[in-house]
Amino acid sequence: MSQPERYDLAVIGTGLAGMAAAVFASSRGLRVVQAGSTGAISYTSGVFDVLGALPATREGQPARPVERPFEALPELLRDEPGHPYALLDPEDIRLAFHELMDFLRGAGLPYRAGGERNFLLPTPAGTLKHSWCVPETALPGCEALAQGAPACIVAIEGMKGFSARQVAVNLAPHWPGLTTARVAMPGHPGGEVYPEQVARMLEVPAARKALAEALAPLLGQARVVGLPAVLGMHRPGDVAADMERLLGRPVFEIPTMPPGVPGIRLKETFEGLLPGRGVALFCQQKMVGPLPAPGEPFRLRVAGQPVEHHVLADRALLCSGRFLGGGLGGLRGRPLTETVFGLPVAQPEDRAQWYRQDYLDPRGHAVHRAGLRVDAALRPLGRDGAPAHEGLYAAGSILAGQDWIRMKCGAGVAIATAFKAVTTLAGAR
Amino acid sequence: MQTEVLIIGAGATGTGLARDLALRGVSCVVVETGDVNSGASGGNHGLLHSGGRYVSNDTEAARECREEGALLKRLAPQCVEDCGGLFVAVAGDDENFVADYPGWCAAAGIDVCCVDPAEARALEPVLSPKVVAAFAVPDATIDPFRLALENMAHAKALTGCSLLRRTRVTGMDVDAGRVVRVHTVNTVSGEAGTIEAAQVVNATGAWAGRVAALAGASIPMLCSQGTLLVTHERMTRRVVNRLRPPGNGDILVPGGTVSILGTTSVTIDDPDRARPTVAEADENVRQALPMIPSLGYTRFVRAYCGVRPLIRSDAGQGGDGRSVSRGFMLYGHEEAGLSNFCSVSGGKLTTYRLMAEKTADLVCARLGVSAPCRTRTEPLPAAPSCRWTEPGFAPRLWTQRHDADDPLLCECEMVPASAVDGIMDDCGQQFPDPGLQALGKRSRIGKGSCQGAFCGVRVAAHLYDTGHYTSPKGLTRMREFFTERFKGQRPVLWGPQLIQAELAEALHCGLLGLELEGPDTAPAPGAAKDEEARP
Ligand SMILES: Cc1cc2nc3c(=O)[nH]c(=O)nc-3n(C[C@H](O)[C@H](O)[C@H](O)COP(=O)(O)OP(=O)(O)OC[C@H]3O[C@@H](n4cnc5c(N)ncnc54)[C@H](O)[C@@H]3O)c2cc1C
Ligand SMILES: Cc1cc2nc3c(=O)[nH]c(=O)nc-3n(C[C@H](O)[C@H](O)[C@H](O)COP(=O)(O)OP(=O)(O)OC[C@H]3O[C@@H](n4cnc5c(N)ncnc54)[C@H](O)[C@@H]3O)c2cc1C
């Protein structure tokens, strides 16, 4: 067998944290090897939250939406001192986002960050989401909502889980003058249609023209038009601009149920561009191996395909996510485990405490705050409370002390901790 | 409102009684605080007992089960899967019990057939190699939802008998030995109402003691919660029972496309607060492992529980508690000086028809109606809108005639939009504002591996599109539906189901923010009560 290839950094995981880490590390000249199931990232809504809500701390309290995420950080950290944001300079969160946004803009996926305030954007249920950084294709919706400009929400025939009436009826108290329309996607044979199909169809100018023609008579007084997120798979900004030209008014996207188009765009963008930046990316594969002795490099096996690869890496960044990602495991009658290196997991005493009785309890569930404890440099701690290995770092949702689902801080934790870990380990090299 | 007979409780007994009375030409109204089968009738194993489980300690109950089971197989075949059952002992189980078993069965008249352990394992490969004895009995399974819905539908067709859902009985006015007025409250709107009836029947199962007390009568009751676990896939063809005195985790019953493992027995104070626990889930699995080792790594999708009404033994069979059978109790409440109020409780799903018959006999005698019971001979008509509760029905239909314009709203269980529309129409004729919860009761929606996480969102969108939801209240209904489904998932969240639950919450809370308080988030009064315990 040939000598294993040697890398500066092994990134374990291809969710948002792993992908962001690979971008940051390759920009800093590190030789990166990365593996993971890229499906993980297509589940994300495409909207990047920093902090959207503060869970209740006492029974009977409501959870509160957050309008100004950076202003709310001290309050979050007072209630949740173990949150990974406690290890970051808020300025690093902004820097991290802007570096990733530059990369995405270059790839044709422009995002807009909200300055001091969160954007308020409609969800497919007709609730409002507070998010700090949104794809530019969602922006006209945020603006129209903020101004109360009349809009028409359009549903596509045969697309399950997206009801224009649901969005409009539920948003009516916040957004006067909302109307709805429903169109069949021209050129689609009928029956069920998925957002991804429509997005790929709309890459073609003729399809956009046909859709605009079908839509035009339905829009009435609307000054903007909201569609489920289907405005093309690549370069959605161009598709949106063309639709705006054809309809004579701005068009915006509303996220759909996972896996939705904005998530798939991210997946395809990272998958497509990282190899060109020198990242050795192994998609749909796992990277496993023992924790090396102090001073020794990581000897990792890239597994899951008929041909296995062995790699050597001076450092490793664990971005393996939680249960859905596979980084944490939870079986009956056993404590939660970290699945790659068997690191200790901070967690509730037993399974009966994982979840509260009420699903929507505004305090959130203890199981989501379980995860890896890390030192100030984001190195996971071993059983003795010291870093498990001097070259092992962790980032993303696997970190303990955060509940991204309830705090709406998923992308923020993923991107900012990846940034901090990469800048730290690049500096320490 | 006025009616001849008022039945309180729409479980198997109450709905069965409605049909029995209707067949005798007596009209009635059924009031139910939740929905059909909100109590034990929705929280049981669905085992149509051959009687084999009771032969060791209650020959009479065993005989009753045998007779009623055979009758239902004939008269309501659409609700029954005649899969057969096995009783198996594993090494270490009581050998005397095993030796006595065939004799006990014979005494109760139950067909029993000794099966060689190796053959038993050939029949049911998941059985442990440590099986040392096995007997085959004529156990079967029954779909309690379809049963109750079809009983109600038939009663409605015969006499226009109606069901008032979400209507809780809160009080009774008694005058000169008669219940002259029954007070109700709508658990959604809070609206109060009254019903006057010539006869009032309390068919409220574990709640019978409380409801009887409203009329000044007493039934000495204990409540025992039993928890069951639903597997992701069906594990056996037959019902598999442990050959030992009834205990925890000793029956695995097929339920169409899944299997149901049970059960525990935990005494609780308040039947309204029953909910399955993590400890009970673990106990069921632990107890069942010697019989079926693969349950240790099987995927479970949900747990649910029901409450058994037990008549307290320290109270003896005193009062006028006429023990028609040791299996169930029918009280005429003459001792409380009442002449138009009776209570029926206890028994089994398997014997619901008999319970209804005996109760109807008493009611008719009091009304002076002489028409005889006909449920012993009249087949239960199949109702088309009731067939969606059957696991496997929707997928079968889909493969037979798949209509591209009829999207599957529930992808796990393959329930199409047209089924949702049909059920909603049917419900709409019976009660106001049906929604997700009512659909969950009447179809397999929310019962598959996603446990409603995805289909709940898709169905809600469809209900907005079809004009059933017209305000942010639809969001409240979604919250209630997901909250309800979660109750049953919580005890079995490990392995793949833990992953599923994380994805569900990422969608419901992470993306949609359903947990955040809005103007529409105030929970509907009584929402918590809508127990929907079945898988
Ligand atoms: C339905 C849904 C909606 C969301 N909506 C939002 C939103 O609106 N806003 C927001 O900010 N965030 C949202 N998120 C969260 C966000 O997308 C990320 O999921 C979250 O930040 C966690 O990212 P992560 O990279 O840490 O983990 P994950 O995304 O879980 O990725 C973990 C990765 O690790 C890999 N892995 C695990 N074990 C190994 C191994 N041994 N070897 C190699 N690879 C391994 C997995 O294959 C996967 O690629 C959403 C997520 C979901 C699921
Ligand atoms: C765990 C468990 C497993 C079981 N397994 C089996 C089995 O496999 N086979 C079998 O044959 N039997 C089984 N049984 C027994 C069987 O489920 C019950 O005997 C049967 O369902 C009782 O039906 P019911 O209609 O009498 O009572 P229930 O189904 O409990 O109905 C009572 C109804 O009254 C309603 N109600 C209560 N209070 C009020 C009020 N104030 N106003 C209006 N309505 C009210 C309730 O909401 C409820 O719907 C099992 C029971 C349990 C608990």
Side-chain angles (χ1 to χ4, degrees), chain A residues 127 160 324 330 359 368 408, chain B residues 408 411 495 502 505 509 512:
Chain A
T127 51
K160 297 183 291 193
L324 191 57
Y359 181 44
H368 298 316
K408 330 291 169 194
Chain B
L408 293 179
E411 294 179 351
E502 187 183 40
E505 204 184 328
C509 300
L512 304 179

Side-chain angles (χ1 to χ4, degrees), chain A residues 43 45 47 49 52-54 61-65 123-130 155 158 160-167 169-170 173-174 182 189-192 194 255-259 322-325 329-333 336 351-362 364-365 367-368 403-408, chain B residues 275-279 281-282 285-286 289 295-297 300 398 402 404-409 411 453-455 457-458 460-462 464-467 469-475 478-480 482-483 486-487 490-496 498-517 519:
Chain A
Y43 273 87
S45 67
V47 177
D49 305 338
L54 294 170
Q61 266 186 345
R64 284 163 302 145
T123 75
T127 51
L128 288 173
K129 182 166 174 61
H130 292 70
K160 297 183 291 193
F162 188 91
S163 158
R165 284 170 75 165
Q166 177 171 18
V167 175
V169 159
N170 292 331
H174 315 277
R182 198 178 164 88
E192 290 187 26
Y194 290 88
T256 57
M257 280 168 74
R322 306 184 65 77
F323 307 107
L324 191 57
L331 292 175
R332 186 176 49 82
L336 301 174
R351 195 163 76 78
Q353 262 107 60
W354 289 0
Y355 281 93
R356 293 187 190 278
Q357 299 285 342
D358 178 7
Y359 181 44
L360 299 176
D361 191 310
H365 301 292
V367 71
H368 298 316
D403 176 351
W404 73 261
I405 294 178
R406 298 308 188 90
M407 298 165 183
K408 330 291 169 194
Chain B
R275 58 187 300 161
T277 64
V278 168
D282 288 346
V285 175
R286 196 176 63 80
L289 288 180
L295 284 170
Y297 46 86
F300 290 89
W398 192 81
H402 165 218
D405 284 323
D406 190 7
L408 293 179
L409 294 183
E411 294 179 351
F454 282 75
C455 56
V457 175
R458 285 191 288 259
H462 182 77
Y464 272 101
D465 271 342
T466 49
Y469 285 161
T470 53
S471 76
K473 273 202 197 117
L475 291 174
M478 286 168 77
R479 291 184 179 100
E480 287 166 7
F482 297 135
T483 298
F486 178 76
K487 267 198 208 167
R490 185 181 175 276
V492 297
L493 293 181
W494 68 78
L498 179 62
I499 296 171
Q500 187 69 52
E502 187 183 40
L503 176 58
E505 204 184 328
L507 170 61
H508 299 150
C509 300
L511 177 58
L512 304 179
L514 287 179
E515 88 283 20
L516 295 174
E517 197 122 35

Side-chain angles (χ1 to χ4, degrees), chain B residues 183-489:
Chain B
H183 294 271
T184 62
V185 62
N186 183 299
T187 58
V188 180
S189 66
E191 208 176 300
T194 58
I195 302 174
E196 289 165 24
Q199 291 287 325
V200 177
V201 182
N202 167 18
T204 55
W207 291 266
R210 296 175 170 210
V211 171
L214 299 176
S218 92
I219 304 176
M221 288 211 340
L222 268 183
C223 292
S224 156
Q225 164 173 320
T227 287
L228 305 115
L229 310 183
V230 186
T231 61
H232 185 231
E233 275 161 3
R234 181 166 174 161
M235 300 184 69
T236 60
R237 295 174 56 120
R238 295 163 187 75
V239 177
V240 176
N241 306 264
R242 184 84 168 266
L243 187 51
R244 68 177 187 191
N248 294 345
D250 60 359
I251 322 185
L252 187 71
V253 181
T257 50
V258 301
S259 287
I260 300 165
L261 172 66
T263 165
T264 51
S265 175
V266 179
T267 303
I268 57 170
D269 296 332
D270 180 354
D272 282 330
R273 302 181 77 108
R275 58 187 300 161
T277 64
V278 168
E280 287 174 288
D282 288 346
E283 166 70 3
N284 269 332
V285 175
R286 196 176 63 80
Q287 289 285 349
L289 288 180
M291 187 164 79
I292 301 175
S294 59
L295 284 170
Y297 46 86
T298 292
R299 177 172 179 185
F300 290 89
V301 293
R302 123 175 240 96
Y304 62 97
C305 70
V307 183
R308 307 175 188 91
L310 301 179
I311 308 300
R312 270 216 320 268
S313 58
D314 55 293
Q317 308 282 28
D320 81 328
R322 279 181 284 155
S323 176
V324 180
S325 138
R326 286 195 285 162
F328 66 90
M329 306 291 286
L330 175 62
Y331 295 83
H333 295 305
E334 288 90 359
E335 95 291 356
L338 296 170
S339 58
N340 72 335
F341 178 67
C342 66
S343 300
V344 56
S345 182
K348 306 264 152 243
L349 178 63
T350 306
T351 58
Y352 88 94
R353 194 212 58 81
L354 181 64
M355 294 166 70
E357 173 180 341
K358 296 296 176 196
T359 310
D361 286 348
L362 174 65
V363 169
C364 286
R366 286 175 167 185
L367 284 173
V369 170
S370 58
C373 174
R374 285 166 56 198
T375 58
R376 222 174 243 287
T377 48
E378 285 279 317
L380 178 67
S385 66
C386 301
R387 62 203 167 148
W388 295 102
T389 61
E390 182 195 330
F393 172 75
R396 255 196 338 268
L397 194 73
W398 192 81
T399 41
Q400 280 164 17
R401 53 171 182 83
H402 165 218
D403 176 358
D405 284 323
D406 190 7
L408 293 179
L409 294 183
C410 170
E411 294 179 351
C412 307
E413 298 284 325
M414 307 183 85
V415 184
S418 60
V420 168
D421 296 340
I423 299 168
M424 291 299 284
D425 279 352
D426 192 60
C427 290
Q429 290 167 18
Q430 298 169 48
F431 48 85
D433 297 333
L436 270 172
Q437 306 261 46
L439 281 168
K441 268 266 139 75
R442 289 164 179 77
S443 72
R444 300 283 305 163
I445 287 172
K447 316 248 157 70
S449 53
C450 93
Q451 284 291 300
F454 282 75
C455 56
V457 175
R458 285 191 288 259
V459 171
H462 182 77
L463 294 180
Y464 272 101
D465 271 342
T466 49
H468 288 99
Y469 285 161
T470 53
S471 76
K473 273 202 197 117
L475 291 174
T476 306
R477 298 285 103 82
M478 286 168 77
R479 291 184 179 100
E480 287 166 7
F481 179 72
F482 297 135
T483 298
E484 184 54 44
R485 296 317 288 165
F486 178 76
K487 267 198 208 167
Q489 289 166 72

